[in-house]
Amino acid sequence: MFYCPANQEIYWSTGITEDVPAVDEPFAIDMVLAHEYAHNVQARVLIGAAWHEKAGDATQEEALLLSRRSETQADCMAGMTVSAMAESRDISVEEFNNIMLATQAVGSDAQTGDPSTSTTHPQAAIRDYWMRQGLNSADVSTCNTWTVPADQVR
């Protein structure tokens, strides 16, 4: 699943639940969709354009860091969405745990099996951290991942 800023659409992989079985649980797929919609929000307020422009003049490692900052912000914003869903729907503890397991399952280290990997997406523990930040706050400034130390978006 991914968001395309060129046409402002979210693309859904029919194989996502095969690739990441943890996503095939109640409300877990909603978290993934909320994450991708957060990228739409980033695009509409020009956060996406700003970091892509900056990445064009950056080293590969700096560009990867910018990408992870975007991804962690989207995780945090998805957490806010899930929190709002929990208020309007009766999300059980088990369903909440499924959401967190799915969040961790899409971490770069979980996907590659390499705990030292440095890719465009953050590691499982970092994704978990930022999802929980969003879950526990209604203040969008909580999701400012652009100013935190690099190790907080690894």
Side-chain angles (χ1 to χ4, degrees):
M1 181 177 280
F2 70 94
Y3 170 74
C4 177
N7 62 6
Q8 299 180 16
E9 292 190 15
I10 295 172
Y11 289 87
W12 187 275
S13 168
T14 56
I16 190 170
T17 57
E18 293 168 14
D19 296 338
V20 187
V23 172
D24 196 21
E25 295 292 335
F27 293 105
I29 202 70
D30 297 281
M31 175 276 299
V32 177
L33 187 57
H35 171 97
E36 296 307 327
Y37 186 74
H39 287 310
N40 173 267
V41 172
Q42 289 172 324
R44 289 179 176 263
V45 298
L46 302 179
I47 291 171
W51 86 257
H52 279 284
E53 182 178 330
K54 190 172 182 179
D57 296 327
T59 66
Q60 181 179 1
E61 189 54 39
E62 291 168 338
L64 289 173
L65 175 61
L66 290 168
S67 178
R68 288 191 303 271
R69 289 185 185 284
S70 173
E71 294 297 331
T72 50
Q73 184 176 51
D75 286 339
C76 184
M77 293 164 83
M80 289 182 162
T81 302
V82 170
S83 179
M85 287 172 42
E87 287 182 25
S88 65
R89 301 274 316 261
D90 190 19
I91 296 178
S92 70
V93 171
E94 180 182 355
E95 289 166 333
F96 172 78
N97 289 338
N98 289 337
I99 291 167
M100 297 315 297
L101 288 173
T103 299
Q104 295 163 13
V106 294
S108 62
D109 52 337
Q111 292 288 299
T112 65
D114 179 2
S116 65
T117 190
S118 180
T119 70
T120 57
H121 286 67
Q123 295 184 341
I126 298 298
R127 294 195 92 144
D128 182 276
Y129 173 82
W130 284 104
M131 176 65 73
R132 289 177 192 276
Q133 294 304 301
L135 283 166
N136 294 312
S137 179
D139 181 357
V140 75
S141 69
T142 300
C143 298
N144 183 0
T145 59
W146 302 97
T147 59
V148 299
D151 66 337
Q152 290 184 11
V153 295
R154 171 100 175 97

